[in-house]
PDB file of all heavy atoms in Angstrom:
ATOM      1  N   THR Z   1     -22.034 -28.721 -40.382  1.00 97.00           N
ATOM      2  CA  THR Z   1     -21.627 -30.062 -39.950  1.00 97.00           C
ATOM      3  C   THR Z   1     -22.816 -30.940 -39.565  1.00 97.00           C
ATOM      4  O   THR Z   1     -22.634 -32.112 -39.225  1.00 97.00           O
ATOM      5  CB  THR Z   1     -20.683 -29.960 -38.737  1.00 97.00           C
ATOM      6  OG1 THR Z   1     -21.373 -29.317 -37.650  1.00 97.00           O
ATOM      7  CG2 THR Z   1     -19.433 -29.150 -39.093  1.00 97.00           C
ATOM      8  N   ASN Z   2     -24.027 -30.341 -39.604  1.00 96.00           N
ATOM      9  CA  ASN Z   2     -25.238 -31.045 -39.185  1.00 96.00           C
ATOM     10  C   ASN Z   2     -25.126 -31.573 -37.756  1.00 96.00           C
ATOM     11  O   ASN Z   2     -25.493 -32.709 -37.451  1.00 96.00           O
ATOM     12  CB  ASN Z   2     -25.559 -32.196 -40.149  1.00 96.00           C
ATOM     13  CG  ASN Z   2     -25.959 -31.692 -41.520  1.00 96.00           C
ATOM     14  OD1 ASN Z   2     -26.681 -30.713 -41.648  1.00 96.00           O
ATOM     15  ND2 ASN Z   2     -25.459 -32.348 -42.551  1.00 96.00           N
ATOM     16  N   LYS Z   3     -24.630 -30.690 -36.861  1.00 97.00           N
ATOM     17  CA  LYS Z   3     -24.459 -31.077 -35.462  1.00 97.00           C
ATOM     18  C   LYS Z   3     -25.113 -30.058 -34.531  1.00 97.00           C
ATOM     19  O   LYS Z   3     -25.088 -28.865 -34.792  1.00 97.00           O
ATOM     20  CB  LYS Z   3     -22.971 -31.195 -35.121  1.00 97.00           C
ATOM     21  CG  LYS Z   3     -22.276 -32.386 -35.763  1.00 97.00           C
ATOM     22  CD  LYS Z   3     -20.832 -32.461 -35.305  1.00 97.00           C
ATOM     23  CE  LYS Z   3     -20.122 -33.682 -35.920  1.00 97.00           C
ATOM     24  NZ  LYS Z   3     -18.696 -33.754 -35.496  1.00 97.00           N
ATOM     25  N   MET Z   4     -25.689 -30.579 -33.448  1.00 97.00           N
ATOM     26  CA  MET Z   4     -26.220 -29.737 -32.390  1.00 97.00           C
ATOM     27  C   MET Z   4     -25.044 -29.306 -31.518  1.00 97.00           C
ATOM     28  O   MET Z   4     -24.363 -30.138 -30.914  1.00 97.00           O
ATOM     29  CB  MET Z   4     -27.238 -30.497 -31.550  1.00 97.00           C
ATOM     30  CG  MET Z   4     -28.036 -29.646 -30.595  1.00 97.00           C
ATOM     31  SD  MET Z   4     -29.335 -28.699 -31.418  1.00 97.00           S
ATOM     32  CE  MET Z   4     -30.492 -30.024 -31.825  1.00 97.00           C
ATOM     33  N   LEU Z   5     -24.783 -28.010 -31.444  1.00 97.00           N
ATOM     34  CA  LEU Z   5     -23.668 -27.511 -30.653  1.00 97.00           C
ATOM     35  C   LEU Z   5     -24.059 -27.304 -29.202  1.00 97.00           C
ATOM     36  O   LEU Z   5     -23.214 -27.362 -28.304  1.00 97.00           O
ATOM     37  CB  LEU Z   5     -23.147 -26.195 -31.237  1.00 97.00           C
ATOM     38  CG  LEU Z   5     -22.672 -26.234 -32.687  1.00 97.00           C
ATOM     39  CD1 LEU Z   5     -22.108 -24.877 -33.088  1.00 97.00           C
ATOM     40  CD2 LEU Z   5     -21.629 -27.327 -32.888  1.00 97.00           C
ATOM     41  N   SER Z   6     -25.344 -27.039 -28.971  1.00 95.00           N
ATOM     42  CA  SER Z   6     -25.808 -26.763 -27.613  1.00 95.00           C
ATOM     43  C   SER Z   6     -27.316 -26.960 -27.553  1.00 95.00           C
ATOM     44  O   SER Z   6     -28.024 -26.587 -28.482  1.00 95.00           O
ATOM     45  CB  SER Z   6     -25.446 -25.319 -27.233  1.00 95.00           C
ATOM     46  OG  SER Z   6     -26.011 -24.954 -25.998  1.00 95.00           O
ATOM     47  N   PHE Z   7     -27.792 -27.557 -26.453  1.00 96.00           N
ATOM     48  CA  PHE Z   7     -29.232 -27.652 -26.227  1.00 96.00           C
ATOM     49  C   PHE Z   7     -29.488 -27.698 -24.728  1.00 96.00           C
ATOM     50  O   PHE Z   7     -28.924 -28.529 -24.021  1.00 96.00           O
ATOM     51  CB  PHE Z   7     -29.858 -28.876 -26.890  1.00 96.00           C
ATOM     52  CG  PHE Z   7     -31.366 -28.853 -26.835  1.00 96.00           C
ATOM     53  CD1 PHE Z   7     -32.084 -28.163 -27.795  1.00 96.00           C
ATOM     54  CD2 PHE Z   7     -32.049 -29.486 -25.811  1.00 96.00           C
ATOM     55  CE1 PHE Z   7     -33.472 -28.103 -27.739  1.00 96.00           C
ATOM     56  CE2 PHE Z   7     -33.436 -29.440 -25.751  1.00 96.00           C
ATOM     57  CZ  PHE Z   7     -34.143 -28.741 -26.720  1.00 96.00           C
ATOM     58  N   THR Z   8     -30.339 -26.784 -24.253  1.00 96.00           N
ATOM     59  CA  THR Z   8     -30.634 -26.688 -22.822  1.00 96.00           C
ATOM     60  C   THR Z   8     -32.133 -26.797 -22.598  1.00 96.00           C
ATOM     61  O   THR Z   8     -32.900 -25.929 -23.011  1.00 96.00           O
ATOM     62  CB  THR Z   8     -30.142 -25.344 -22.248  1.00 96.00           C
ATOM     63  OG1 THR Z   8     -28.744 -25.204 -22.513  1.00 96.00           O
ATOM     64  CG2 THR Z   8     -30.388 -25.282 -20.754  1.00 96.00           C
ATOM     65  N   GLY Z   9     -32.545 -27.872 -21.958  1.00 97.00           N
ATOM     66  CA  GLY Z   9     -33.945 -28.043 -21.620  1.00 97.00           C
ATOM     67  C   GLY Z   9     -34.251 -27.461 -20.250  1.00 97.00           C
ATOM     68  O   GLY Z   9     -33.346 -27.179 -19.465  1.00 97.00           O
ATOM     69  N   VAL Z  10     -35.539 -27.264 -19.957  1.00 98.00           N
ATOM     70  CA  VAL Z  10     -35.916 -26.739 -18.647  1.00 98.00           C
ATOM     71  C   VAL Z  10     -35.658 -27.788 -17.575  1.00 98.00           C
ATOM     72  O   VAL Z  10     -35.548 -28.984 -17.859  1.00 98.00           O
ATOM     73  CB  VAL Z  10     -37.396 -26.288 -18.618  1.00 98.00           C
ATOM     74  CG1 VAL Z  10     -37.662 -25.240 -19.683  1.00 98.00           C
ATOM     75  CG2 VAL Z  10     -38.339 -27.480 -18.785  1.00 98.00           C
ATOM     76  N   SER Z  11     -35.560 -27.341 -16.339  1.00 97.00           N
ATOM     77  CA  SER Z  11     -35.312 -28.234 -15.212  1.00 97.00           C
ATOM     78  C   SER Z  11     -36.553 -29.061 -14.882  1.00 97.00           C
ATOM     79  O   SER Z  11     -37.669 -28.767 -15.344  1.00 97.00           O
ATOM     80  CB  SER Z  11     -34.910 -27.418 -13.984  1.00 97.00           C
ATOM     81  OG  SER Z  11     -36.008 -26.614 -13.565  1.00 97.00           O
ATOM     82  N   GLU Z  12     -36.361 -30.084 -14.063  1.00 97.00           N
ATOM     83  CA  GLU Z  12     -37.496 -30.892 -13.613  1.00 97.00           C
ATOM     84  C   GLU Z  12     -38.490 -30.028 -12.842  1.00 97.00           C
ATOM     85  O   GLU Z  12     -39.707 -30.191 -12.976  1.00 97.00           O
ATOM     86  CB  GLU Z  12     -37.001 -32.044 -12.738  1.00 97.00           C
ATOM     87  CG  GLU Z  12     -38.120 -32.976 -12.268  1.00 97.00           C
ATOM     88  CD  GLU Z  12     -37.617 -34.141 -11.441  1.00 97.00           C
ATOM     89  OE1 GLU Z  12     -36.390 -34.264 -11.262  1.00 97.00           O
ATOM     90  OE2 GLU Z  12     -38.467 -34.931 -10.953  1.00 97.00           O
ATOM     91  N   ALA Z  13     -37.965 -29.083 -12.060  1.00 98.00           N
ATOM     92  CA  ALA Z  13     -38.843 -28.181 -11.300  1.00 98.00           C
ATOM     93  C   ALA Z  13     -39.695 -27.334 -12.242  1.00 98.00           C
ATOM     94  O   ALA Z  13     -40.876 -27.090 -11.990  1.00 98.00           O
ATOM     95  CB  ALA Z  13     -38.007 -27.279 -10.392  1.00 98.00           C
ATOM     96  N   ALA Z  14     -39.100 -26.891 -13.347  1.00 98.00           N
ATOM     97  CA  ALA Z  14     -39.844 -26.095 -14.327  1.00 98.00           C
ATOM     98  C   ALA Z  14     -40.882 -26.951 -15.043  1.00 98.00           C
ATOM     99  O   ALA Z  14     -42.002 -26.492 -15.314  1.00 98.00           O
ATOM    100  CB  ALA Z  14     -38.890 -25.467 -15.332  1.00 98.00           C
ATOM    101  N   GLU Z  15     -40.532 -28.192 -15.369  1.00 98.00           N
ATOM    102  CA  GLU Z  15     -41.506 -29.097 -15.971  1.00 98.00           C
ATOM    103  C   GLU Z  15     -42.716 -29.259 -15.050  1.00 98.00           C
ATOM    104  O   GLU Z  15     -43.864 -29.198 -15.501  1.00 98.00           O
ATOM    105  CB  GLU Z  15     -40.867 -30.463 -16.230  1.00 98.00           C
ATOM    106  CG  GLU Z  15     -39.828 -30.477 -17.338  1.00 98.00           C
ATOM    107  CD  GLU Z  15     -39.212 -31.852 -17.535  1.00 98.00           C
ATOM    108  OE1 GLU Z  15     -39.428 -32.743 -16.687  1.00 98.00           O
ATOM    109  OE2 GLU Z  15     -38.508 -32.035 -18.539  1.00 98.00           O
ATOM    110  N   ASN Z  16     -42.449 -29.451 -13.766  1.00 98.00           N
ATOM    111  CA  ASN Z  16     -43.543 -29.612 -12.807  1.00 98.00           C
ATOM    112  C   ASN Z  16     -44.375 -28.341 -12.690  1.00 98.00           C
ATOM    113  O   ASN Z  16     -45.601 -28.399 -12.513  1.00 98.00           O
ATOM    114  CB  ASN Z  16     -42.980 -30.004 -11.443  1.00 98.00           C
ATOM    115  CG  ASN Z  16     -42.400 -31.414 -11.433  1.00 98.00           C
ATOM    116  OD1 ASN Z  16     -42.793 -32.251 -12.249  1.00 98.00           O
ATOM    117  ND2 ASN Z  16     -41.448 -31.667 -10.551  1.00 98.00           N
ATOM    118  N   ALA Z  17     -43.714 -27.182 -12.816  1.00 98.00           N
ATOM    119  CA  ALA Z  17     -44.443 -25.909 -12.773  1.00 98.00           C
ATOM    120  C   ALA Z  17     -45.375 -25.781 -13.970  1.00 98.00           C
ATOM    121  O   ALA Z  17     -46.507 -25.297 -13.841  1.00 98.00           O
ATOM    122  CB  ALA Z  17     -43.455 -24.741 -12.740  1.00 98.00           C
ATOM    123  N   VAL Z  18     -44.929 -26.232 -15.133  1.00 98.00           N
ATOM    124  CA  VAL Z  18     -45.767 -26.206 -16.332  1.00 98.00           C
ATOM    125  C   VAL Z  18     -47.010 -27.069 -16.118  1.00 98.00           C
ATOM    126  O   VAL Z  18     -48.133 -26.669 -16.456  1.00 98.00           O
ATOM    127  CB  VAL Z  18     -44.972 -26.698 -17.566  1.00 98.00           C
ATOM    128  CG1 VAL Z  18     -45.910 -26.953 -18.743  1.00 98.00           C
ATOM    129  CG2 VAL Z  18     -43.900 -25.685 -17.947  1.00 98.00           C
ATOM    130  N   LEU Z  19     -46.807 -28.251 -15.548  1.00 98.00           N
ATOM    131  CA  LEU Z  19     -47.936 -29.143 -15.281  1.00 98.00           C
ATOM    132  C   LEU Z  19     -48.926 -28.503 -14.313  1.00 98.00           C
ATOM    133  O   LEU Z  19     -50.145 -28.581 -14.505  1.00 98.00           O
ATOM    134  CB  LEU Z  19     -47.436 -30.471 -14.706  1.00 98.00           C
ATOM    135  CG  LEU Z  19     -46.456 -31.282 -15.566  1.00 98.00           C
ATOM    136  CD1 LEU Z  19     -46.092 -32.585 -14.859  1.00 98.00           C
ATOM    137  CD2 LEU Z  19     -47.046 -31.578 -16.934  1.00 98.00           C
ATOM    138  N   GLU Z  20     -48.395 -27.858 -13.288  1.00 98.00           N
ATOM    139  CA  GLU Z  20     -49.257 -27.218 -12.290  1.00 98.00           C
ATOM    140  C   GLU Z  20     -50.035 -26.064 -12.908  1.00 98.00           C
ATOM    141  O   GLU Z  20     -51.238 -25.904 -12.669  1.00 98.00           O
ATOM    142  CB  GLU Z  20     -48.418 -26.713 -11.113  1.00 98.00           C
ATOM    143  CG  GLU Z  20     -49.251 -26.112  -9.996  1.00 98.00           C
ATOM    144  CD  GLU Z  20     -48.413 -25.615  -8.832  1.00 98.00           C
ATOM    145  OE1 GLU Z  20     -47.204 -25.922  -8.790  1.00 98.00           O
ATOM    146  OE2 GLU Z  20     -48.974 -24.897  -7.975  1.00 98.00           O
ATOM    147  N   CYS Z  21     -49.365 -25.255 -13.725  1.00 98.00           N
ATOM    148  CA  CYS Z  21     -50.038 -24.125 -14.362  1.00 98.00           C
ATOM    149  C   CYS Z  21     -51.135 -24.604 -15.305  1.00 98.00           C
ATOM    150  O   CYS Z  21     -52.232 -24.033 -15.333  1.00 98.00           O
ATOM    151  CB  CYS Z  21     -49.025 -23.269 -15.122  1.00 98.00           C
ATOM    152  SG  CYS Z  21     -49.733 -21.783 -15.858  1.00 98.00           S
ATOM    153  N   ALA Z  22     -50.840 -25.637 -16.078  1.00 98.00           N
ATOM    154  CA  ALA Z  22     -51.841 -26.164 -17.012  1.00 98.00           C
ATOM    155  C   ALA Z  22     -53.073 -26.675 -16.278  1.00 98.00           C
ATOM    156  O   ALA Z  22     -54.206 -26.562 -16.773  1.00 98.00           O
ATOM    157  CB  ALA Z  22     -51.222 -27.287 -17.848  1.00 98.00           C
ATOM    158  N   GLU Z  23     -52.881 -27.212 -15.082  1.00 97.00           N
ATOM    159  CA  GLU Z  23     -54.004 -27.703 -14.284  1.00 97.00           C
ATOM    160  C   GLU Z  23     -54.819 -26.551 -13.716  1.00 97.00           C
ATOM    161  O   GLU Z  23     -56.050 -26.609 -13.639  1.00 97.00           O
ATOM    162  CB  GLU Z  23     -53.471 -28.583 -13.150  1.00 97.00           C
ATOM    163  CG  GLU Z  23     -54.537 -29.196 -12.267  1.00 97.00           C
ATOM    164  CD  GLU Z  23     -55.443 -30.166 -13.016  1.00 97.00           C
ATOM    165  OE1 GLU Z  23     -55.002 -30.758 -14.016  1.00 97.00           O
ATOM    166  OE2 GLU Z  23     -56.617 -30.324 -12.598  1.00 97.00           O
ATOM    167  N   LEU Z  24     -54.129 -25.458 -13.355  1.00 98.00           N
ATOM    168  CA  LEU Z  24     -54.811 -24.308 -12.762  1.00 98.00           C
ATOM    169  C   LEU Z  24     -55.493 -23.431 -13.811  1.00 98.00           C
ATOM    170  O   LEU Z  24     -56.581 -22.900 -13.576  1.00 98.00           O
ATOM    171  CB  LEU Z  24     -53.807 -23.460 -11.971  1.00 98.00           C
ATOM    172  CG  LEU Z  24     -53.278 -24.060 -10.673  1.00 98.00           C
ATOM    173  CD1 LEU Z  24     -52.149 -23.196 -10.119  1.00 98.00           C
ATOM    174  CD2 LEU Z  24     -54.399 -24.191  -9.651  1.00 98.00           C
ATOM    175  N   VAL Z  25     -54.846 -23.274 -14.965  1.00 98.00           N
ATOM    176  CA  VAL Z  25     -55.391 -22.417 -16.033  1.00 98.00           C
ATOM    177  C   VAL Z  25     -55.839 -23.328 -17.167  1.00 98.00           C
ATOM    178  O   VAL Z  25     -55.169 -23.483 -18.190  1.00 98.00           O
ATOM    179  CB  VAL Z  25     -54.336 -21.393 -16.520  1.00 98.00           C
ATOM    180  CG1 VAL Z  25     -54.983 -20.381 -17.465  1.00 98.00           C
ATOM    181  CG2 VAL Z  25     -53.680 -20.679 -15.349  1.00 98.00           C
ATOM    182  N   LYS Z  26     -56.975 -23.943 -16.992  1.00 96.00           N
ATOM    183  CA  LYS Z  26     -57.417 -24.994 -17.899  1.00 96.00           C
ATOM    184  C   LYS Z  26     -57.745 -24.485 -19.307  1.00 96.00           C
ATOM    185  O   LYS Z  26     -57.744 -25.262 -20.265  1.00 96.00           O
ATOM    186  CB  LYS Z  26     -58.629 -25.723 -17.318  1.00 96.00           C
ATOM    187  CG  LYS Z  26     -58.306 -26.496 -16.043  1.00 96.00           C
ATOM    188  CD  LYS Z  26     -59.507 -27.271 -15.555  1.00 96.00           C
ATOM    189  CE  LYS Z  26     -59.237 -28.003 -14.261  1.00 96.00           C
ATOM    190  NZ  LYS Z  26     -58.206 -29.037 -14.415  1.00 96.00           N
ATOM    191  N   LYS Z  27     -58.044 -23.205 -19.452  1.00 95.00           N
ATOM    192  CA  LYS Z  27     -58.389 -22.672 -20.769  1.00 95.00           C
ATOM    193  C   LYS Z  27     -57.161 -22.463 -21.665  1.00 95.00           C
ATOM    194  O   LYS Z  27     -57.303 -22.265 -22.872  1.00 95.00           O
ATOM    195  CB  LYS Z  27     -59.143 -21.349 -20.621  1.00 95.00           C
ATOM    196  CG  LYS Z  27     -60.560 -21.521 -20.089  1.00 95.00           C
ATOM    197  CD  LYS Z  27     -61.313 -20.199 -20.104  1.00 95.00           C
ATOM    198  CE  LYS Z  27     -62.751 -20.387 -19.635  1.00 95.00           C
ATOM    199  NZ  LYS Z  27     -63.513 -19.100 -19.659  1.00 95.00           N
ATOM    200  N   ALA Z  28     -55.980 -22.502 -21.092  1.00 96.00           N
ATOM    201  CA  ALA Z  28     -54.758 -22.328 -21.888  1.00 96.00           C
ATOM    202  C   ALA Z  28     -54.418 -23.624 -22.612  1.00 96.00           C
ATOM    203  O   ALA Z  28     -54.475 -24.711 -22.029  1.00 96.00           O
ATOM    204  CB  ALA Z  28     -53.597 -21.916 -20.990  1.00 96.00           C
ATOM    205  N   GLU Z  29     -54.091 -23.505 -23.885  1.00 96.00           N
ATOM    206  CA  GLU Z  29     -53.555 -24.649 -24.626  1.00 96.00           C
ATOM    207  C   GLU Z  29     -52.047 -24.678 -24.438  1.00 96.00           C
ATOM    208  O   GLU Z  29     -51.404 -23.629 -24.299  1.00 96.00           O
ATOM    209  CB  GLU Z  29     -53.882 -24.525 -26.113  1.00 96.00           C
ATOM    210  CG  GLU Z  29     -55.352 -24.663 -26.439  1.00 96.00           C
ATOM    211  CD  GLU Z  29     -55.601 -24.678 -27.937  1.00 96.00           C
ATOM    212  OE1 GLU Z  29     -54.849 -25.339 -28.668  1.00 96.00           O
ATOM    213  OE2 GLU Z  29     -56.544 -23.992 -28.375  1.00 96.00           O
ATOM    214  N   VAL Z  30     -51.468 -25.881 -24.435  1.00 97.00           N
ATOM    215  CA  VAL Z  30     -50.034 -26.020 -24.176  1.00 97.00           C
ATOM    216  C   VAL Z  30     -49.373 -26.864 -25.270  1.00 97.00           C
ATOM    217  O   VAL Z  30     -49.884 -27.929 -25.633  1.00 97.00           O
ATOM    218  CB  VAL Z  30     -49.768 -26.673 -22.802  1.00 97.00           C
ATOM    219  CG1 VAL Z  30     -48.272 -26.739 -22.523  1.00 97.00           C
ATOM    220  CG2 VAL Z  30     -50.484 -25.908 -21.696  1.00 97.00           C
ATOM    221  N   SER Z  31     -48.235 -26.371 -25.760  1.00 96.00           N
ATOM    222  CA  SER Z  31     -47.400 -27.137 -26.690  1.00 96.00           C
ATOM    223  C   SER Z  31     -45.976 -27.168 -26.148  1.00 96.00           C
ATOM    224  O   SER Z  31     -45.471 -26.154 -25.664  1.00 96.00           O
ATOM    225  CB  SER Z  31     -47.410 -26.516 -28.091  1.00 96.00           C
ATOM    226  OG  SER Z  31     -48.692 -26.616 -28.678  1.00 96.00           O
ATOM    227  N   ILE Z  32     -45.354 -28.331 -26.238  1.00 97.00           N
ATOM    228  CA  ILE Z  32     -44.000 -28.516 -25.711  1.00 97.00           C
ATOM    229  C   ILE Z  32     -43.054 -28.833 -26.871  1.00 97.00           C
ATOM    230  O   ILE Z  32     -43.308 -29.731 -27.677  1.00 97.00           O
ATOM    231  CB  ILE Z  32     -43.984 -29.664 -24.683  1.00 97.00           C
ATOM    232  CG1 ILE Z  32     -44.857 -29.291 -23.483  1.00 97.00           C
ATOM    233  CG2 ILE Z  32     -42.561 -29.966 -24.227  1.00 97.00           C
ATOM    234  CD1 ILE Z  32     -45.094 -30.427 -22.510  1.00 97.00           C
ATOM    235  N   PHE Z  33     -41.962 -28.082 -26.926  1.00 96.00           N
ATOM    236  CA  PHE Z  33     -40.968 -28.238 -27.982  1.00 96.00           C
ATOM    237  C   PHE Z  33     -39.727 -28.921 -27.410  1.00 96.00           C
ATOM    238  O   PHE Z  33     -39.081 -28.397 -26.504  1.00 96.00           O
ATOM    239  CB  PHE Z  33     -40.550 -26.873 -28.536  1.00 96.00           C
ATOM    240  CG  PHE Z  33     -41.630 -26.121 -29.268  1.00 96.00           C
ATOM    241  CD1 PHE Z  33     -42.765 -25.672 -28.608  1.00 96.00           C
ATOM    242  CD2 PHE Z  33     -41.504 -25.855 -30.624  1.00 96.00           C
ATOM    243  CE1 PHE Z  33     -43.757 -24.973 -29.274  1.00 96.00           C
ATOM    244  CE2 PHE Z  33     -42.496 -25.149 -31.305  1.00 96.00           C
ATOM    245  CZ  PHE Z  33     -43.615 -24.711 -30.627  1.00 96.00           C
ATOM    246  N   THR Z  34     -39.375 -30.074 -27.950  1.00 96.00           N
ATOM    247  CA  THR Z  34     -38.108 -30.713 -27.600  1.00 96.00           C
ATOM    248  C   THR Z  34     -37.108 -30.375 -28.710  1.00 96.00           C
ATOM    249  O   THR Z  34     -37.362 -29.518 -29.560  1.00 96.00           O
ATOM    250  CB  THR Z  34     -38.267 -32.235 -27.472  1.00 96.00           C
ATOM    251  OG1 THR Z  34     -38.608 -32.805 -28.753  1.00 96.00           O
ATOM    252  CG2 THR Z  34     -39.355 -32.580 -26.465  1.00 96.00           C
ATOM    253  N   ASP Z  35     -35.967 -31.048 -28.724  1.00 92.00           N
ATOM    254  CA  ASP Z  35     -34.965 -30.766 -29.754  1.00 92.00           C
ATOM    255  C   ASP Z  35     -35.425 -31.198 -31.146  1.00 92.00           C
ATOM    256  O   ASP Z  35     -34.937 -30.676 -32.147  1.00 92.00           O
ATOM    257  CB  ASP Z  35     -33.623 -31.425 -29.417  1.00 92.00           C
ATOM    258  CG  ASP Z  35     -33.746 -32.927 -29.181  1.00 92.00           C
ATOM    259  OD1 ASP Z  35     -34.880 -33.422 -28.978  1.00 92.00           O
ATOM    260  OD2 ASP Z  35     -32.704 -33.610 -29.190  1.00 92.00           O
TER     261      ASP Z  35
END
């Protein structure tokens, strides 16, 4: 049907945790996948 039946993104708290981790572990590369 070419329809998305379900999609669950991370919470705002998790987004902020990703930002904090990226700042602390600067050698890690980060890619973010949306829908």
Side-chain angles (χ1 to χ4, degrees):
T1 61
N2 293 320
K3 290 183 179 179
M4 191 76 72
L5 302 183
S6 173
F7 189 85
T8 304
V10 303
S11 66
E12 182 178 358
E15 290 179 349
N16 291 335
V18 168
L19 301 181
E20 184 180 349
C21 184
E23 182 64 27
L24 289 172
V25 189
K26 294 184 182 296
K27 288 186 177 181
E29 292 186 43
V30 183
S31 293
I32 296 171
F33 294 65
T34 65
D35 55 344

